[in-house]
């Protein structure tokens, strides 16, 4: 009985230690990029799980054979926006992948882990440290008995703290050296047998040297029980590193997928179906022209089909759609420029403001807290028509219904003002309408690269002179905080209020750099809102106006501080101290 009690206690301690280490490895955006990648359109990419035919004129290596019998690296390469990330997500999620890998494992325990690089995302989403934390977390979560093998010092320290043998040691800080050593132990250890297959998307999105990231995975597959499926654009370094590995070039293999997409999305539209019945030859010609012009760039097709569907909604006949198609550039970058320049003049100012807000909502040197893509609710508040709403709105000034409608209206605004270049991240949610917590970001990295060029930035700013996106984001954050207690189940950020407050401090600091005329008034409003939400925390930046000013690394005029001190609107606990 005593032995069983000791065993149970030991098992509980080991479980707590494992959970503490796994929790420390995890970070908030660990699955975000994967979730945001678009799902494959129905019945597209099915060919990846079919054995290559001997009659196939396009050279590519049989992926199923690699899963079942291959080793080393399988490289999926392709031009920008050809659908590599969507294919990688399809592969990673498919039960067929596990089925074929089980054949490779031959009775040994099979483990899988994946990582999707995202150059427009947070530091962890684009760096080697973020990659290694994610992979270690995923594998060790599946096999917690590996933790003391892979992270022996962290295990010993946490175990000692749980048994009162030492002061609790934090494992919240992970150096790249520590992570690299742990990863090398993970992929080379044989103490606990396993077969490990890694799926790494977007090596070209890595924020570092192509040579370093190619070498990392080249070294990994030296072990016979580890193999890697990876994707990237065909950069020279990757060509040199992977040219002799099993591979495929995506744009050579997707013409049938593109045709299916066009048939389902465009020809399957009820209005188009009616016209296709009357003019079948013209309809077939239109589809063939789209597929031919796509040149394997799936993103170009989605944007063109969206444009043609808009034409259908305006009453276009097939002849009009053909003319519309001929006006759209075949080059993706040229298409982006066409979409920016052809926005209705009435919408140009709002489009300019949206583009500037999304550009500003990214990490910059000197940020107090790294900026992140805004939620659709935050963006809707940042785009408020009334510039003084931040001062006049009371806490809870919107109902749940109002909030959901506002998000829906903002999503419509994105479609009409930005033509799909900036979008609400619906992927993986299954929702028909946007919800307040959904992020808003660039459609694709190529969109970000295009919009951030000096030429396009100059064009964008022409339509909204003297606009300050950081102030707009600050106002939006304050307004979001004012509705944070309305319907918490909507995910409006109530439980994330600390993160929203921290983000607002970043925009306040940037606004100070810009010398915005009304910054003092906004500072006072932010202090008022933050003080009401900080639950009396004496160590909070909102414990006094001076603490907030210091936390934002800004100088607040003495006159404004005196106004805040004398204000009776915010209550005694918000006075200067």
């Amino acid at each position: 009985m005593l032995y069983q009690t000791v065993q149970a206690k030991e098992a509980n301690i080991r479980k707590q230690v494992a959970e503490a280490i796994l929790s420390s490895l995890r970070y908030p955006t660990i699955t975000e990029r994967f979730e945001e990648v678009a799902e494959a359109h129905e019945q597209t990419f099915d060919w990846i799980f079919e054995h290559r035919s001997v009659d196939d004129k396009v050279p590519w290596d049989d992926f199923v054979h690699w899963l079942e019998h291959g080793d080393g690296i399988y490289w999926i390469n392709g031009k920008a926006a050809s659908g590599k990330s969507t294919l990688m997500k399809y592969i990673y999620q498919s039960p067929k992948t596990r089925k074929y890998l089980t054949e490779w494992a031959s009775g040994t325990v099979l483990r899988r882990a994946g990582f999707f690089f995202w150059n427009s995302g947070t530091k962890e989403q684009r760096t080697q440290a973020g990659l290694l934390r994610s992979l270690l977390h995923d594998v060790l979560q599946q096999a917690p008995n590996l933790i003391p093998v892979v992270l022996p010092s962290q295990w010993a320290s946490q175990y000692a703290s749980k048994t009162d043998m030492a002061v609790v040691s934090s494992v919240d800080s992970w150096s790249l050296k520590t992570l690299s050593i742990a990863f090398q132990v993970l992929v080379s250890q044989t103490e606990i047998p396993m077969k490990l297959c890694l799926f790494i998307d977007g090596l070209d999105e890595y924020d570092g040297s192509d040579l370093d990231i190619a070498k990392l995975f080249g070294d990994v597959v030296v072990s016979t029980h580890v193999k890697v499926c990876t994707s990237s654009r065909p950069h020279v370094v990757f060509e040199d590193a992977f040219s002799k590995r099993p591979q495929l070039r995506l744009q050579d293999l997707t013409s049938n997928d593109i045709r299916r997409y066009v048939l389902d999305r465009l020809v399957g539209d009820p209005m188009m179906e009616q016209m296709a019945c009357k003019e079948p030859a013209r309809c077939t010609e239109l589809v063939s022209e789209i597929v031919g012009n796509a040149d394997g760039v799936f993103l170009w097709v989605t944007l063109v089909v969206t444009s043609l569907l808009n034409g259908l909604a305006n009453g276009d006949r097939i002849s009009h759609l053909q003319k519309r198609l001929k006006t759209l550039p075949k080059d993706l970058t040229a298409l982006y420029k066409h979409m920016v320049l052809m926005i209705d003049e009435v919408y140009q100012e709002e489009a300019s403001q949206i583009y500037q807000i999304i550009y500003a909502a990214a990490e910059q040197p000197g940020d107090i807290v790294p900026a992140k893509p805004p939620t659709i609710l935050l963006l809707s508040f940042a785009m408020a028509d009334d510039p003084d709403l931040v001062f006049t709105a009371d806490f809870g000034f919107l109902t749940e219904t109002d909030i959901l409608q506002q998000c829906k209206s903002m999503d419509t605004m994105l479609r009409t003002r930005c033509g799909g270049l900036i979008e609400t991240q619906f992927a993986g949610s299954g929702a028909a309408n946007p919800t307040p917590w959904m992020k808003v970001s660039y459609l694709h990295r190529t969109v970000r690269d295009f919009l951030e060029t000096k030429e396009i930035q100059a064009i964008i700013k022409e339509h909204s002179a003297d606009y300050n996106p950081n102030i707009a984001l600050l106002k939006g954050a304050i307004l979001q905080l004012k509705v944070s207690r309305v319907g918490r189940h909507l995910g409006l950020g109530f439980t994330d209020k600390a993160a929203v407050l921290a983000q607002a401090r970043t925009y306040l600091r940037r606004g100070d750099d810009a010398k915005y005329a009304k910054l003092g008034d906004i500072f006072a409003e932010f202090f008022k809102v933050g003080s009401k939400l900080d639950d009396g925390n004496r160590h909070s930046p909102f414990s006094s106006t001076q603490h907030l000013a210091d936390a934002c690394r800004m100088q607040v005029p003495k006159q404004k501080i005196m106004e805040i001190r004398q204000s009776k609107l915010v209550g005694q606990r918000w006075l200067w101290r």
Side-chain angles (χ1 to χ4, degrees), residues 202-242:
L203 295 187
D204 53 297
E205 302 263 349
Y206 169 60
D207 190 7
S209 162
D210 284 355
L211 190 61
D212 288 345
I213 200 68
K215 185 178 184 303
L216 173 67
F217 291 107
D219 292 343
V220 162
V221 296
V222 169
S223 172
T224 57
H225 61 268
V226 180
K227 61 184 180 181
V228 179
C229 174
T230 189
S231 73
S232 74
R233 299 183 200 180
H235 290 185
V236 173
V237 169
F238 302 139
E239 289 273 13
D240 292 343
F242 307 141

Side-chain angles (χ1 to χ4, degrees), residues 41 384 397 563:
H41 185 72
F397 69 99
E563 288 178 12

